[in-house]
Amino acid sequence: MGTLKGSPNINTGIAANNDKDLVELAGLHAYTYPLFESVLQVNNTDYTVIDTRYEDPTGLDAMTVVNMETEEISIIYVGTDASGKYGNKDILTDAQLLSDLTPAQLAAARSYYTEMNQKFNQVGGVKSIAGNSLGGGLVGAVAVENPEVNAVTLNPALLPEGMVDPNQTYDNITNYFSSYDVLTQTLIALDLHGRIPGKQYEIFNGIPEFSKLATNHTGYLRNEDGSQFYVIGEVGKPGYGRIYIDADAHIVSSIWTGIPLYGGHSERIEINKENLDILASSLQSHVTERLNLAHEYLGNSVAIVEDEGNRFYERLNRLQNTFEDLFENIISEPLFLGITAISNRLTAEIDHLISLLNIAESHSKSLNYILNSPPAELLEHIFRTNVSVESLFAELRNQLYELRSNIQNISRGIINIVSDKIPELFRGGKDAWYDAIVGELNAHYGIVNGNRDKLLSHISEFQKQVQDVAANFQMRDQSLGQSIKSKSTHSDSISVQGTNTYKLEDSPYMELRMKIKEFQMDTAYTAFTASTQALLFPLLEKGQLLTFAVESTLEILSSSIKGAANFALSYTIPGKLISLFSDFDDKIRNSIANALEPLDELAATIEGVRKGLGRLIVEYPTLLNNFRPYVETAIFDNSGYFNVHLYNLASIAILREMEMLFDDVVYQLGNHKAEAIDALCEVSKKVKSNMGILYEQVDRGTIN
Amino acid sequence: MHKKTKILLCSVGISLMLGGCSGMNSANNNQESEKSKETQAAPSEESLISVQDYTGEGYALPYGKETDKIADESLDEIEEAAIEFFKEKYKTDVTVHNVVGAKDGATVFVESKGEPHFYTYAVVPIDELEKKVMTEKIWADQFQVENAIKGGLYHMIFNEEFQQLDDYLETIAAEGQVTGKTKDALQNVGGHGYMTPYYFIALTSKEEAIKPVYDLYISNPDESTENLRNAYEEGSFNPENFKINIQLFMADKQAEPSEEIFNQITKELEEMDSIPKGTYSFSLNDNFIDKQSSEGAKDNSLKRGFPDYIIKE
């Protein structure tokens, strides 16, 4: 929005028109040390550096520039930390110190102003001073003492205590705060911004990302010529785009006078053909341009949501695989590898255990055979002993079968979790979507996009009406008013664009705003936790009981078999039978050992299984904890979600600015005797209220 | 700050050894021998350095400490990107002299090879947190680069007039009382377009006379000087839009800027009529230059500038 020289009722001497240039000079050019008498270009205006003060021992850096169009002189202050002039100070330190403007630097800043004001006194003296951050603090210090100078700051630092008189308004000072600027936000939070003199306006540039702190602080990311932006997303991926952050593009100024519209309306202007033309052309260019940018941002949000929607199965599968991996990894027991499949290693292992049992059984049978057929000579000396273990073997076999089917049930349970319970994590939302967050955002955007298009048509219709009224302004005003109201486009050869109704649709969605994800996460995850535990725990506990049972049966079995060696001998075995007996005894012992060996292996394996199951019970809550972040990203990719928020934020910033602009339009068109203008005013009110509705809807897509 | 060319760095202390650090610039040699004092007056501020000793060492941009370190890791890559950028966008071969960390990026100081001769800079964005140098996003202030080329073209096509000015300033420097910036300083931290040790050229955006010359040069960088000269639109020239900023320093470390010399040069500039047309500013500084900003103009400088320029119609 250029300034309009020579428009009626405008005091061209108002330096406020310069605010944008000054903010850019302070936030961008001042950091490059232009040499004495070099020329800079800011927003298509040339500025010459007519004095420099870069070597000041206090750490003050300043330059004096002249606007070559208006010949107005301004001082741009760059505050630096005197102790480490180029210490690349952390902005947070800035915030902690709140203000390390040393008295020496403040004094130097003041005397520099006085010096320059005197030096250039022949050509009007210093009209404005500007600076950002610490430089902004210096500006404040100079301006409180010099009410005749126009001062502009961007995110200024605090002045030392006692410098600002609370009873004064300091109307010569305008401070712009970028939302999300850490330093000023901190000051506001600490309620210290009373130490920043003058008017305070928020401009909506910058985005709240911690890593962009430094950039938010000066408002500029030196990127490509003249346009400064953050890059969002990844190249080639949906939603990749830019958010433009030029601090000066966000300063809203009156369509007619170029004076910043903060804290009030611009001066009343006369509504005549010329001013209507200005309004029409601004609606066509600037307003449409800004709204198109907002449109582009929203388009990027939508692209991110759509892409997320298209990747539903990919997100789901990834989450399923993650769960399976986590499940296998929490039991560091090789036996459990593949437990998440129905035919797994563990069931195969139990089959193997059953075969071991068979081996043990055949060995115990042969043991019995040996016991039952001792050498005849020994018969009278030995009590008949028999190891009766068939029933034990049968019992053990049954227990193992049962354990195997239990393990299979556990596997089925896990498979059920993966195939049914995990998809349930995605379900929910207002219309019970299968992909809740995407569904809700999509539904909401369906309405927002329709409304956005309506608003754009509304504005372009309004623009046509303004144009038509301007064109016919010489004609009879009354009939004009009639034709706007009656929606007819004919009346005494005057044709005016008729008024249509643009009613924006309400959106029942996103009532929880961006908290929907958190909400989905909490409800779905709680349900998931409860249902999976209900499913798994009984099975796991049963498995544990079964392994205990197997182990105790094994104990009895082993001791029975071992008992076979303790056959009682009659008083004494005659000496000549000793060797015979020894042979027999050895045979028995060998046979016992043979029967016990597979049983020992079996016992060791079962112990592993029991421990594994126990660990599953103990560790499952941990698994759920570890699983949670994966779910969060799968429900809607975290960075994508944040980018949706950022784009929405950027577009509501524009909508907010446009609302302010229209507020001024309504004000300027109001209270005119002319009927046509009244009619236009009515339309502009509707446009403004529609902007408000859209603003609120887009705002729902931001994280507060 | 990194040197691409190996320079014998001399330490600049409070006291300078006699005949110690001699300037790189032959124009300074004669005054070196005139030094007779063992101890020199110390500069008031350690950020100041004698202009004869200044090679750009110590130049630092605000908030550039970290980015400087990050840039240091990728010098070759930055150099390559800068050369390609100027070749691609401005059809000009450049030499990269120096890379300095700045806010959100690094400033790359370059010098064109051959004619048109100029110094300028590009910026390579740096992500400080990721410690990433984004050479693919290299950019330059279009206004500054175009003006640098235009200044160089001016010097090319008005060679005779500039020769007059250059001869005059060199003669004055040869007398030994005043001097200019060293060539190293121009190369390493110049960046202000067409520069000599004694002045630099600045154009406003309203300078139209050279525009067709610039367009011709960009469409064909090998165009002959004669053809370039013919494209010049004499009729559009307005001296207000073409500035020559002369900046001289006292050769003696202890000398305050001399009114006498200042007045003499001002008078001579006003009287000369064979030098290029345009708006002249002139400042005479003491012997010291601010290391960090490479600015010599200070509080005590004698200046002839806005709003009272010397205009050569």
Side-chain angles (χ1 to χ4, degrees):
Chain A
M1 233 184 306
T3 61
L4 298 157
K5 281 198 204 158
S7 326
N9 310 328
I10 293 172
N11 171 4
T12 38
I14 291 179
N17 302 355
N18 260 338
D19 282 14
K20 290 182 181 193
D21 290 2
L22 292 173
V23 162
E24 184 169 325
L25 279 161
L28 185 66
H29 298 277
Y31 290 110
T32 62
Y33 287 139
L35 291 180
F36 175 59
E37 288 294 347
S38 57
V39 179
L40 307 167
Q41 197 183 34
V42 185
N43 298 322
N44 295 323
T45 303
D46 290 353
Y47 284 81
T48 301
V49 178
I50 54 175
D51 193 83
T52 58
R53 182 61 50 90
Y54 300 146
E55 75 294 348
D56 196 277
T58 64
L60 167 81
D61 280 337
M63 64 178 185
T64 306
V65 296
V66 61
N67 177 327
M68 294 169 83
E69 304 274 318
T70 62
E71 303 261 298
E72 279 180 6
I73 294 171
S74 311
I75 297 177
I76 309 297
Y77 287 99
V78 179
T80 51
D81 175 4
S83 60
K85 196 165 172 185
Y86 297 96
N88 190 6
K89 236 177 4 338
D90 188 329
I91 299 293
L92 284 178
T93 325
D94 232 2
Q96 285 150 0
L97 296 170
L98 293 177
S99 171
D100 44 8
L101 291 167
T102 56
Q105 209 172 109
L106 293 168
R110 284 174 173 156
S111 65
Y112 185 65
Y113 168 76
T114 312
E115 194 184 319
M116 289 299 115
N117 207 19
Q118 274 166 359
K119 182 173 178 181
F120 296 113
N121 161 345
Q122 297 300 316
V123 278
V126 177
K127 273 276 188 334
S128 326
I129 56 178
N132 87 38
S133 177
L134 284 174
L138 297 172
V139 166
V142 176
V144 293
E145 295 207 336
N146 300 283
E148 71 286 355
V149 76
N150 168 58
V152 182
T153 76
L154 177 66
N155 303 325
L158 281 186
L159 291 188
E161 200 129 28
M163 203 176 267
V164 180
D165 177 354
N167 302 319
Q168 282 212 50
T169 53
Y170 301 111
D171 288 336
N172 59 322
I173 309 174
T174 309
N175 302 287
Y176 293 105
F177 293 146
S178 330
S179 332
Y180 313 116
D181 174 60
V182 168
L183 177 56
T184 42
Q185 291 302 320
T186 310
L187 303 185
I188 289 165
L190 296 172
D191 199 25
L192 286 168
H193 59 299
R195 280 167 55 187
I196 297 174
K199 292 173 284 195
Q200 302 182 2
Y201 302 131
E202 195 180 11
I203 52 177
F204 317 115
N205 76 322
I207 51 177
E209 217 178 318
F210 195 75
S211 64
K212 306 291 187 203
L213 275 184
T215 313
N216 277 338
H217 194 59
T218 40
Y220 285 101
L221 182 73
R222 286 174 69 199
N223 222 325
E224 306 215 354
D225 293 357
S227 68
Q228 278 135 345
F229 52 82
Y230 293 133
V231 175
I232 306 286
E234 288 174 52
V235 183
K237 297 238 173 92
Y240 169 74
R242 296 165 172 189
I243 289 182
Y244 294 87
I245 55 145
D246 321 35
D248 54 358
H250 285 270
I251 296 175
V252 186
S253 8
S254 159
I255 286 175
W256 294 281
T257 60
I259 292 170
L261 288 176
Y262 290 94
H265 299 292
S266 55
E267 223 173 301
R268 277 267 181 202
I269 54 160
E270 194 190 330
I271 294 295
N272 51 22
K273 179 171 187 320
E274 190 188 0
N275 277 332
L276 284 173
D277 282 338
I278 289 171
L279 173 60
S281 81
S282 164
L283 287 169
Q284 196 167 3
S285 55
H286 175 74
V287 174
T288 315
E289 195 181 299
R290 296 299 286 166
L291 285 170
N292 282 341
L293 188 57
H295 185 140
E296 186 186 312
Y297 291 154
L298 283 176
N300 280 325
S301 297
V302 172
I304 294 171
V305 175
E306 279 178 350
D307 173 56
E308 200 70 7
N310 295 338
R311 292 187 308 103
F312 174 70
Y313 288 103
E314 188 189 320
R315 284 151 48 212
L316 177 61
N317 290 340
R318 198 177 326 137
L319 191 62
Q320 289 170 323
N321 295 337
T322 305
F323 185 83
E324 288 176 356
D325 290 350
L326 285 174
F327 204 94
E328 290 190 8
N329 290 336
I330 52 169
I331 328 157
S332 43
E333 170 66 64
L335 280 176
F336 280 79
L337 283 180
I339 186 80
T340 49
I342 202 80
S343 59
N344 53 51
R345 185 171 167 179
L346 192 51
T347 47
E349 188 63 30
I350 292 176
D351 288 338
H352 170 67
L353 294 184
I354 293 168
S355 70
L356 284 180
L357 196 65
N358 294 341
I359 295 168
E361 192 171 28
S362 68
H363 280 298
S364 76
K365 276 183 179 149
S366 59
L367 173 65
N368 269 343
Y369 174 79
I370 296 165
L371 287 173
N372 290 336
S373 49
E377 296 85 340
L378 292 176
L379 268 176
E380 58 189 276
H381 298 283
I382 299 177
F383 285 105
R384 270 298 183 78
T385 52
N386 202 343
V387 187
S388 122
V389 284
E390 287 89 352
S391 62
L392 283 177
F393 272 108
E395 192 179 341
L396 202 49
R397 193 169 287 112
N398 284 339
Q399 286 169 332
L400 285 176
Y401 281 133
E402 208 176 338
L403 182 63
R404 187 175 66 177
S405 81
N406 176 265
I407 298 286
Q408 279 174 334
N409 284 340
I410 291 173
S411 288
R412 281 196 198 95
I414 296 165
I415 288 161
N416 173 298
I417 289 173
V418 169
S419 63
D420 298 357
K421 301 280 179 212
I422 289 182
E424 277 173 26
L425 285 166
F426 291 83
R427 264 174 236 152
K430 204 163 182 81
D431 294 3
W433 291 281
Y434 67 87
D435 191 358
I437 307 301
V438 170
E440 180 118 10
L441 278 165
N442 257 333
H444 183 65
Y445 274 127
I447 293 169
V448 168
N449 285 343
N451 286 342
R452 182 197 62 200
D453 296 342
K454 276 184 193 163
L455 178 67
L456 287 172
S457 324
H458 199 176
I459 287 174
S460 71
E461 181 176 293
F462 176 61
Q463 188 258 336
K464 261 197 74 49
Q465 289 175 329
V466 173
Q467 230 169 356
D468 292 347
V469 170
N472 295 301
F473 206 69
Q474 326 305 359
M475 308 253 186
R476 283 206 342 277
D477 159 62
Q478 204 173 0
S479 53
L480 267 176
Q482 290 297 345
S483 68
I484 294 176
K485 280 192 187 136
S486 66
K487 309 183 188 184
S488 70
T489 52
H490 67 89
S491 141
D492 312 348
S493 79
I494 293 172
S495 90
V496 175
Q497 168 69 47
T499 303
N500 296 304
T501 313
Y502 291 95
K503 187 165 176 353
L504 300 195
E505 196 184 337
D506 287 334
S507 167
Y509 304 112
M510 300 290 292
E511 281 162 347
L512 289 169
R513 308 175 52 103
M514 290 297 262
K515 290 218 169 44
I516 54 170
K517 189 177 166 187
E518 220 174 301
F519 180 79
Q520 171 73 16
M521 204 46 225
D522 288 338
T523 49
Y525 212 68
T526 311
F528 181 79
T529 304
S531 69
T532 56
Q533 286 186 339
L535 187 91
L536 281 179
F537 278 28
L539 293 171
L540 296 174
E541 277 154 7
K542 188 177 173 195
Q544 269 196 306
L545 289 176
L546 283 168
T547 50
F548 277 127
V550 169
E551 284 177 325
S552 66
T553 313
L554 269 177
E555 293 271 325
I556 300 167
L557 184 62
S558 306
S559 61
S560 307
I561 290 173
K562 283 179 191 148
N566 311 328
F567 41 86
L569 293 171
S570 60
Y571 308 100
T572 48
I573 291 177
K576 57 177 177 162
L577 290 183
I578 290 281
S579 68
L580 192 61
F581 177 77
S582 299
D583 281 354
F584 179 64
D585 194 43
D586 283 350
K587 255 190 184 169
I588 288 173
R589 284 181 196 284
N590 275 335
S591 182
I592 287 173
N594 287 342
L596 286 178
E597 194 186 356
L599 292 181
D600 286 344
E601 188 186 335
L602 198 151
T605 306
I606 287 293
E607 189 185 17
V609 174
R610 179 170 53 81
K611 283 189 174 154
L613 291 169
R615 206 171 298 135
L616 260 180
I617 293 171
V618 174
E619 296 287 334
Y620 189 69
T622 314
L623 175 144
L624 286 177
N625 261 342
N626 297 344
F627 187 48
R628 200 184 159 107
Y630 292 99
V631 176
E632 213 168 311
T633 281
I635 283 182
F636 200 111
D637 178 75
N638 287 341
S639 62
Y641 202 66
F642 191 64
N643 289 345
V644 167
H645 153 75
L646 292 180
Y647 278 126
N648 287 341
L649 208 57
S651 57
I652 62 170
I654 293 176
L655 288 168
R656 250 160 106 179
E657 290 159 23
M658 291 299 115
E659 223 184 334
M660 280 166 78
L661 196 70
F662 259 79
D663 191 51
D664 188 54
V665 171
V666 171
Y667 166 80
Q668 292 290 12
L669 295 176
N671 285 333
H672 281 273
K673 292 192 185 69
E675 216 180 315
I677 306 301
D678 271 350
L680 284 180
C681 182
E682 282 309 307
V683 178
S684 66
K685 275 185 192 160
K686 291 206 176 79
V687 171
K688 179 177 173 268
S689 99
N690 275 345
M691 262 179 195
I693 292 169
L694 189 61
Y695 168 84
E696 187 282 326
Q697 289 180 353
V698 178
D699 188 44
R700 286 188 217 169
T702 61
I703 299 161
N704 351 30
Chain B
M1 151 137 203
H2 336 281
K3 279 280 182 292
K4 305 216 70 84
T5 46
K6 278 210 183 338
I7 297 173
L8 175 68
L9 286 180
C10 320
S11 67
V12 181
I14 298 295
S15 66
L16 279 155
M17 301 294 287
L18 202 156
C21 226
S22 72
M24 315 289 153
N25 198 321
S26 58
N28 299 332
N29 288 348
N30 43 5
Q31 45 97 109
E32 286 287 332
S33 56
E34 284 177 20
K35 282 184 200 161
S36 56
K37 288 206 169 66
E38 194 62 39
T39 50
Q40 302 289 343
S44 61
E45 210 358 68
E46 60 178 21
S47 72
L48 295 175
I49 176 174
S50 170
V51 68
Q52 292 98 332
D53 298 330
Y54 185 60
T55 59
E57 190 73 31
Y59 185 90
L61 293 161
Y63 304 102
K65 213 170 192 169
E66 288 307 310
T67 48
D68 200 56
K69 287 179 197 148
I70 299 165
D72 219 347
E73 307 281 296
S74 323
L75 283 183
D76 292 349
E77 194 190 330
I78 292 174
E79 182 176 8
E80 203 177 310
I83 289 169
E84 195 180 331
F85 173 79
F86 283 102
K87 185 75 194 156
E88 177 83 10
K89 198 161 176 185
Y90 299 103
K91 309 284 181 290
T92 304
D93 291 316
V94 299
T95 308
V96 175
H97 286 295
N98 188 14
V99 178
V100 182
K103 203 181 152 293
D104 302 323
T107 299
V108 187
F109 287 97
V110 304
E111 176 183 10
S112 68
K113 290 183 178 167
E115 295 246 88
H117 186 245
F118 60 86
Y119 298 94
T120 189
Y121 64 92
V123 178
V124 176
I126 289 177
D127 187 328
E128 217 168 297
L129 284 165
E130 299 279 317
K131 299 223 181 307
K132 226 173 56 204
V133 176
M134 297 180 271
T135 44
E136 73 284 359
K137 291 191 183 154
I138 187 167
W139 61 277
D141 183 327
Q142 179 127 356
F143 177 78
Q144 298 295 343
V145 179
E146 280 187 17
N147 280 351
I149 298 174
K150 287 172 182 172
L153 289 166
Y154 251 106
H155 195 268
M156 234 169 118
I157 63 182
F158 292 103
N159 195 296
E160 282 174 33
E161 291 86 340
F162 274 101
Q163 199 57 56
Q164 295 284 340
L165 178 66
D166 293 343
D167 288 351
Y168 166 71
L169 291 168
E170 267 154 35
T171 312
I172 288 189
E175 287 167 15
Q177 284 192 283
V178 297
T179 182
K181 289 182 177 177
T182 62
K183 192 154 181 289
D184 286 307
L186 299 183
Q187 291 184 333
N188 292 324
V189 298
H192 271 70
Y194 183 85
M195 300 177 94
T196 77
Y198 312 110
Y199 65 90
F200 70 94
I201 295 176
L203 287 77
T204 74
S205 58
K206 299 197 164 41
E207 167 33 72
E208 295 288 340
I210 196 75
K211 208 173 168 320
V213 184
Y214 175 82
D215 293 341
L216 183 61
Y217 169 74
I218 290 291
S219 65
N220 178 17
D222 300 326
E223 196 62 74
S224 70
T225 309
E226 195 183 346
N227 287 349
L228 292 171
R229 177 75 184 80
N230 292 337
Y232 185 74
E233 278 183 18
E234 201 91 47
S236 318
F237 182 77
N238 177 344
E240 274 182 25
N241 299 322
F242 184 73
K243 299 181 63 206
I244 295 171
N245 301 313
I246 301 171
Q247 191 176 54
L248 300 174
F249 294 80
M250 299 302 288
D252 179 355
K253 283 195 169 52
Q254 291 169 91
E256 279 292 303
S258 150
E259 296 263 2
E260 193 188 334
I261 297 173
F262 180 77
N263 293 337
Q264 177 211 332
I265 294 176
T266 308
K267 188 160 165 288
E268 284 165 353
L269 284 171
E270 281 169 335
E271 288 165 356
M272 271 189 279
D273 48 15
S274 52
I275 57 173
K277 290 181 184 138
T279 299
Y280 285 76
S281 73
F282 169 45
S283 60
L284 178 60
N285 312 316
D286 60 19
N287 181 255
F288 294 100
I289 188 168
D290 180 45
K291 267 195 277 199
Q292 275 144 349
S293 59
S294 83
E295 178 60 83
K298 291 181 292 295
D299 214 1
N300 62 351
S301 301
L302 300 169
K303 296 176 190 166
R304 178 80 190 262
F306 178 86
D308 179 29
Y309 294 107
I310 300 169
I311 312 265
K312 292 277 158 196
E313 300 275 359

